[in-house]
Amino acid sequence: MASPESSAIRKFLKENMNAQKPGQTIEEVRRAFEEFSSMIPVAPDIKVAKVTVEGIPAEWVSAPNADSHMVLLYLHGGAYIMGSCSTHRDLAAKLSRASAAKVLVIDYRLAPEHPYPAALEDAVTAYRWLVSSGHSPEQIAVGGDSAGGGLTLSLLLSLREAGDALPSAAVLLSPWTDLEGTGDSLETRADADPRIRPMETRNTPALYLGDLDRRDPVVSPIYADLTGLPPMLVHVGDDEILLDDSVRLVERAREAGVDVSFMIYDEMWHVFHQFDMPEAAEAIAEIGGFVQKRIGARAKR
């Protein structure tokens, strides 16, 4: 049964989504996302340090218990057209506290001003910067939510093809893995998901991809050969329209021999982890344990 907190948040989201008008400009959508995120304050004991990663604006987000040898490279969501360090600062802070790792969030370039492969190039640059700065791949986990989850998989596939040593783990929260939009849940969960809508999910990829095939495995990883990718933790809500993006990804990954931990959260919506409620706290605690298990012992060698 959903908590009272989640019921109240669901009501707020439904009212907020219904209040949004069609035809908003990208600038208006971005501004609304920033304003919405500013309503969630970061805990006062969290340290936020701005840094430039090979020209890419970024932030180190660290809880007091963070081990400097443990790093989570986090790629924010936002359909490849919005989102920033500030929209995901609170989530990064909670992940840092739960995992005892420093979290690096990057402001990768956004479409349509910077279409594919700009975001992927920035993600690859950030990962290689971490390695060149002295962090062993064994000490690094990568992760992201929604488009950032898809971008995380694109990063792993690109690193594998280039022959780079891969990070030790991946964390995927409601990952967007099928930009073609063929999952049944886009229709079966359309009334249940209070946060995102099928039409927007189907229309936005054109801004990111241009004329690129939406089934290209680099941008839609459910069509990729996932062999050799590191252990993954995948979270998704049972009420979200991208449910099938996670279900099919996990099936493909397990068929390829990837170690996958998979959790479907009842009565939860798209990237519910961002909200202050018991269900999100439980999920973040699980993420923290997963990251510590995969990179904690290695970081102390």
Side-chain angles (χ1 to χ4, degrees):
M1 182 177 178
S3 69
E5 294 90 338
S6 73
S7 297
I9 292 168
R10 177 186 289 273
K11 181 175 183 294
F12 172 82
L13 289 173
K14 275 189 169 292
E15 292 172 351
N16 181 267
M17 290 297 296
N18 290 336
Q20 291 182 3
K21 298 179 181 179
Q24 284 182 309
T25 67
I26 290 177
E27 290 74 19
E28 289 171 334
V29 171
R30 289 172 179 167
R31 184 164 56 250
F33 193 16
E34 295 284 340
E35 291 173 353
F36 176 78
S37 301
S38 70
M39 298 168 61
I40 308 172
V42 177
D45 62 344
I46 296 296
K47 181 179 178 181
V48 178
K50 295 186 181 299
V51 64
T52 301
V53 175
E54 302 291 345
I56 305 165
E59 288 183 355
W60 280 111
V61 181
S62 306
N65 63 325
D67 184 333
S68 62
H69 296 98
M70 295 169 57
V71 175
L72 171 61
L73 171 59
Y74 196 81
L75 305 173
H76 67 76
Y80 297 106
I81 64 169
M82 59 183 169
S84 65
C85 291
S86 62
T87 62
H88 284 67
R89 191 174 293 134
D90 178 65
L91 178 57
K94 290 173 179 174
L95 292 172
S96 176
R97 196 186 305 278
S99 64
K102 294 176 63 177
V103 179
L104 179 68
V105 187
I106 65 168
D107 271 337
Y108 58 83
R109 288 170 291 170
L110 299 175
E113 298 92 336
H114 304 284
Y116 173 85
L120 177 56
E121 290 172 346
D122 289 351
V124 171
T125 295
Y127 177 78
R128 289 175 173 164
W129 178 82
L130 284 172
V131 174
S132 67
S133 298
H135 294 284
S136 165
E138 291 187 337
Q139 302 169 329
I140 301 172
V142 297
D145 62 279
S146 194
L151 184 56
T152 296
L153 289 163
S154 297
L155 167 63
L156 294 173
L157 293 167
S158 297
L159 292 173
R160 185 193 65 186
E161 294 309 303
D164 291 61
L166 298 182
S168 288
V171 175
L172 309 173
L173 311 182
S174 302
W176 193 17
T177 67
D178 176 18
L179 272 60
E180 179 71 9
T182 62
D184 290 342
S185 58
L186 260 75
E187 305 303 335
T188 63
R189 299 300 195 275
D191 293 332
D193 192 330
R195 194 170 188 191
I196 56 174
R197 294 173 286 199
M199 183 176 67
E200 295 165 346
T201 302
R202 290 194 170 108
N203 291 343
T204 304
L207 300 174
Y208 176 54
L209 299 179
D211 294 331
L212 184 69
D213 183 358
R214 294 188 184 191
R215 295 192 182 217
D216 187 301
V218 177
V219 296
S220 290
I222 61 163
Y223 303 110
D225 175 6
L226 304 175
T227 303
L229 296 194
M232 299 178 187
L233 174 65
V234 182
H235 281 184
V236 70
D238 190 52
D239 282 355
E240 63 173 287
I241 62 174
L242 294 186
L243 171 63
D244 285 346
D245 281 43
S246 287
V247 171
R248 292 178 295 162
L249 170 74
V250 170
E251 291 174 353
R252 292 276 300 173
R254 287 175 173 166
E255 288 171 359
V258 178
D259 180 1
V260 183
S261 300
F262 185 35
M263 183 68 180
I264 301 175
Y265 282 83
D266 291 339
E267 300 184 73
M268 289 294 105
W269 54 84
H270 189 63
V271 198
F272 65 92
H273 308 72
Q274 289 187 292
F275 300 90
D276 189 11
M277 56 188 187
E279 294 87 347
E282 176 189 343
I284 288 171
E286 182 180 11
I287 296 166
F290 174 80
V291 172
Q292 288 191 49
K293 178 181 177 182
R294 295 298 176 182
I295 71 174
R298 295 181 175 95
K300 293 176 173 60
R301 288 177 183 172

